[in-house]
Amino acid sequence: MREIRGKSLSLLIKEDDIRRRVRELGKEIEEDFSDSEDFVVVGLLKGAFVFVADLVREIDLPARIDFLWVSSYGQGMESSGSIRIVKDLDTDIEGRDVLLVDDILDTGITLREVYDFLKIKNPSRLKTCVFLDKKGRRKVEFEADYVGFEVPNVFLVGYGLDWGELGRNLKGVYAVED
Ligand code: 5GP
Ligand code: MG
């Protein structure tokens, strides 16, 4: 049994299922953006780094890849309410086709704010992709264009998602048991 800080982890999504789903998402995105002349993938640090790394290798299109770092959850398990830009993009996205990628859509606060922040930079297209979606938890209206898996309202770690910076390097997605 895997543990973090004495709490046991139970496997929710295994590596093989992730690989299969990420491949499907990549092909879907590849098709939808196949007409794009200037495609940019924007990942949100830190949580999306694993998903972005796998996803972009399943999208057979010329792509720029950049990361935006916003602070949201801090060390705990609860949403802090609003976001702060820690590191802005290096890439100019004006007139480009952008895919915004995050690890998990929960209250929707993060993606809603980041979406609006990127929109101001005038991309010609702005789509969103999340690895996980906790649909029942939304506090603001926001739906992603591409969703890997719908998940229940439990705290998850692995595949980039952390609990106080631990657990990001787990290959599967695990629920932290109470
Ligand atoms: P939102 O702003 O939609 O509430 O939250 C999005 C962010 O909250 C994610 O990028 C992630 O950092 C964090 N988050 C939400 N749910 C979970 C969870 O179950 N596990 C982890 N590790 N982070 C989560
Ligand atoms: Mg986090």
Side-chain angles (χ1 to χ4, degrees):
M1 181 62 94
R2 290 180 181 277
E3 288 194 353
I4 295 182
R5 295 196 185 84
K7 290 207 182 191
S8 47
L9 305 180
S10 66
L11 184 63
L12 186 71
I13 310 171
K14 58 179 197 288
E15 208 188 331
D16 284 356
D17 295 332
I18 294 173
R19 193 178 307 115
R20 200 172 310 124
R21 185 68 188 122
V22 171
R23 189 165 299 154
E24 282 174 6
L25 280 176
K27 290 304 137 201
E28 202 183 324
I29 292 163
E30 182 183 307
E31 210 173 293
D32 293 353
F33 283 85
S34 58
D35 61 338
S36 173
E37 309 216 315
D38 218 337
F39 177 49
V40 187
V41 176
V42 172
L44 289 193
L45 293 174
K46 298 177 193 173
F49 84 104
V50 176
F51 181 41
V52 168
D54 284 347
L55 184 67
V56 294
R57 285 176 292 174
E58 302 294 348
I59 304 172
D60 191 12
L61 295 174
R64 291 170 201 269
I65 296 149
D66 201 354
F67 291 93
L68 183 67
W69 191 353
V70 303
S71 68
S72 54
Y73 263 44
Q75 297 294 96
M77 292 183 175
E78 280 299 301
S79 182
S80 59
S82 193
I83 63 153
R84 182 174 61 89
I85 305 294
V86 179
K87 186 217 151 277
D88 204 343
L89 296 178
D90 299 321
T91 312
D92 185 3
I93 61 167
E94 182 167 0
R96 293 182 161 147
D97 298 317
V98 175
L99 180 72
L100 172 60
V101 181
D102 202 5
D103 53 357
I104 183 166
L105 184 50
D106 185 23
T107 64
I109 292 167
T110 308
L111 270 187
R112 172 82 270 160
E113 293 201 16
V114 171
Y115 185 92
D116 294 343
F117 174 77
L118 293 184
K119 200 75 186 168
I120 293 166
K121 297 175 185 274
N122 283 317
S124 42
R125 204 172 350 161
L126 181 55
K127 296 277 187 187
T128 55
C129 175
V130 293
F131 174 56
L132 304 175
D133 187 358
K134 283 183 186 168
K135 273 213 184 302
R137 286 260 306 166
R138 229 57 108 239
K139 284 185 186 160
V140 299
E141 211 177 299
F142 196 91
E143 297 308 325
D145 298 296
Y146 307 94
V147 173
F149 299 92
E150 269 192 47
V151 290
N153 179 23
V154 290
F155 194 78
L156 303 169
V157 295
Y159 200 70
L161 290 104
D162 71 305
W163 178 27
E165 294 303 328
L166 296 178
R168 295 192 196 276
N169 56 330
L170 295 166
K171 288 181 176 177
V173 173
Y174 295 79
V176 179
E177 302 275 291
D178 287 314

